[in-house]
């Protein structure tokens, strides 16, 4: 039996038809509309309706993953800040009710963590997933209780940590991949915002590349120290496109975490995610 998954981001919307083994049968990616002249919820409805018609489905299971603070119980976007305009209050369960009565909705990082866990087993009981991208997102999973959303669905919004008045920046403004690119431009890096090239040159001993990475990695490490103190996870997974750097990424971050913790405090095992681009799509339909 086929399910339909949709992943809504600030830049693109991905949609896919998947079978029960989470194999992608069909896939499409479109630019996220401005949500003023063309509404995101209307585009999502159109994509799903097309798949239902094309594959002759009747009330299929639909999984929605979205950026922002998501009320999974009611299928509603609670808060998105500046990420997506005009999105707060959008209710997907109501908007898609004519297509199916089997719908689940998740925050995108929650969905990505579920997608990772659908394909890879981890021994740890408590897992925190940190995604580094345009912004920074978080998700927390306990083997017994599952995902932890918080009282107002705002748990794990770690990008807002570590605000400092002197530079008017939060954790994500210093430590996201976007922040790394800004550092590269600020320091006049020869290859501008080509992040893979930065890592490549740093590994070759390029002085400027190493300095930029070390500065940025210290910002990431400071946030991870806060995660360690608040959640005490057994495993911290780092996701987002930059996680493709794998052990090289961890090599810059991991030693610096101890600089922001009391002596001998201890820190969780650190690993990059193994599920690549479509983890949130897989996760959105992995639990029915």
């Amino acid at each position: 039996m086929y399910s339909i998954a949709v992943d809504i981001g600030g830049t693109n919307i991905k949609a896919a038809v998947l079978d029960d083994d989470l194999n992608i049968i069909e896939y499409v990616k479109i630019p996220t509309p401005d949500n003023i002249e063309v509404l995101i919820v209307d585009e999502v409805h159109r994509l799903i309706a097309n798949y239902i018609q094309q594959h002759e489905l009747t009330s299929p299971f639909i999984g929605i993953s979205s950026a922002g603070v998501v009320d999974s119980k009611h299928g509603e976007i609670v808060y998105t800040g500046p990420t997506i305009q005009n999105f707060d209050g959008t209710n997907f369960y109501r908007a898609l009710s004519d297509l199916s009565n089997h719908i689940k909705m998740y925050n995108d990082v929650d969905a990505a963590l579920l997608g990772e866990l659908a394909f890879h087993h981890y021994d740890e009981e408590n897992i925190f997933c940190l995604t580094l991208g345009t912004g920074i997102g978080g998700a927390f999973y306990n083997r017994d209780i599952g995902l932890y959303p918080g009282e107002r669905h705002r748990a794990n919004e770690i990008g807002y940590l570590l605000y400092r008045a002197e530079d008017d920046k939060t954790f994500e403004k210093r430590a996201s991949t976007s922040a790394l690119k800004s550092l590269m431009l600020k320091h006049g890096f020869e290859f501008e915002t080509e992040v893979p090239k930065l890592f490549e040159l740093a590994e070759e001993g390029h002085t400027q590349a190493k300095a930029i990475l070390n500065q940025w990695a210290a910002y990431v490490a400071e946030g991870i120290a806060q995660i360690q103190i608040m959640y005490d996870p057994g495993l911290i997974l780092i996701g987002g496109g930059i996680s493709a750097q794998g052990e090289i990424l961890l090599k810059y971050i991991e030693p610096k975490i101890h600089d922001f913790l009391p002596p001998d405090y201890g820190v969780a095992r650190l690993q990059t995610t193994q599920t690549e681009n479509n983890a949130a799509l897989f996760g959105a339909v992995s639990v029915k």
Side-chain angles (χ1 to χ4, degrees):
M1 182 177 290
Y2 290 166
S3 300
I4 298 173
V6 180
D7 179 29
I8 303 162
T11 305
N12 295 301
I13 297 175
K14 301 175 182 179
V17 177
L18 301 96
D19 66 17
D20 285 341
D21 294 320
L22 299 182
N23 297 305
I24 292 179
I25 307 302
E26 195 165 344
Y27 172 89
V28 67
K29 181 168 74 172
I30 64 169
T32 304
D34 62 9
N35 209 37
I36 297 171
E37 293 185 9
V38 179
L39 296 181
I40 289 170
V41 70
D42 291 343
E43 282 295 276
V44 170
H45 189 284
R46 179 184 66 82
L47 290 169
I48 295 172
N50 285 347
Y51 278 151
I52 287 174
Q53 182 179 17
Q54 183 179 343
H55 294 276
E56 299 180 345
L57 305 175
T58 301
S59 195
F61 180 80
I62 297 169
I64 308 288
S65 157
S66 179
V69 176
V70 174
D71 178 347
S72 294
K73 181 178 180 181
H74 298 103
E76 188 168 305
I77 302 295
V78 177
Y79 177 75
T80 45
T83 310
I84 301 173
Q85 293 187 70
N86 196 35
F87 207 31
D88 296 4
T90 303
N91 190 295
F92 282 86
Y93 290 174
R94 283 200 300 267
L96 305 177
S97 61
D98 62 316
L99 301 178
S100 177
N101 55 6
H102 304 286
I103 306 170
K104 279 194 175 181
M105 186 169 188
Y106 300 95
N107 162 268
D108 54 353
V109 188
D110 284 347
L113 178 52
L114 289 177
E116 175 79 4
L117 296 177
F119 287 99
H120 304 285
H121 172 76
Y122 295 102
D123 291 331
E124 290 84 359
E125 292 186 11
N126 297 284
I127 300 172
F128 195 94
C129 182
L130 164 73
T131 57
L132 304 174
T134 305
I136 289 181
F140 182 70
Y141 179 89
N142 171 275
R143 189 181 297 161
D144 294 325
I145 68 171
L147 293 168
Y148 175 69
E151 183 72 20
R152 298 185 301 142
H153 320 287
R154 297 171 195 246
N156 317 310
E157 292 292 323
I158 56 169
Y160 299 126
L161 285 173
L162 298 169
Y163 174 78
R164 293 182 191 133
E166 58 264 31
D167 62 5
D168 193 31
K169 288 183 178 178
T170 56
F171 177 39
E172 74 175 5
K173 293 296 184 182
R174 294 187 198 92
S176 63
T177 305
S178 297
L180 174 58
K181 291 178 179 179
S182 295
L183 269 181
M184 293 161 72
L185 292 174
K186 178 182 176 182
H187 289 278
F189 182 61
E190 180 183 357
F191 296 93
E192 296 185 332
T193 59
E194 292 183 36
V195 172
K197 193 68 176 177
L198 182 75
F199 278 90
E200 179 187 330
L201 290 179
E203 286 300 283
E204 293 172 0
H206 188 282
T207 302
Q208 185 194 45
K210 287 177 69 175
I212 293 169
L213 266 181
N214 277 317
Q215 182 181 350
W216 173 78
Y219 294 142
V220 178
E222 185 179 14
I224 289 176
Q226 312 311 305
I227 292 167
Q228 182 63 48
I229 291 167
M230 290 187 293
Y231 292 91
D232 190 28
L235 171 66
I236 296 174
L237 291 168
I238 298 181
I242 204 166
S243 66
Q245 297 297 327
E247 290 298 319
I248 298 173
L249 173 67
L250 300 183
K251 182 177 75 173
Y252 284 91
I253 297 170
E254 196 160 15
K256 297 176 176 62
I257 299 171
H258 302 282
D259 295 340
F260 302 99
L261 291 170
D264 303 317
Y265 191 87
V267 68
R269 185 168 73 86
L270 213 63
Q271 181 181 315
T272 53
T273 54
Q274 301 175 74
T275 309
E276 296 184 354
N277 296 330
N278 297 314
L281 287 175
F282 297 131
V285 294
S286 64
V287 181
K288 297 179 181 178

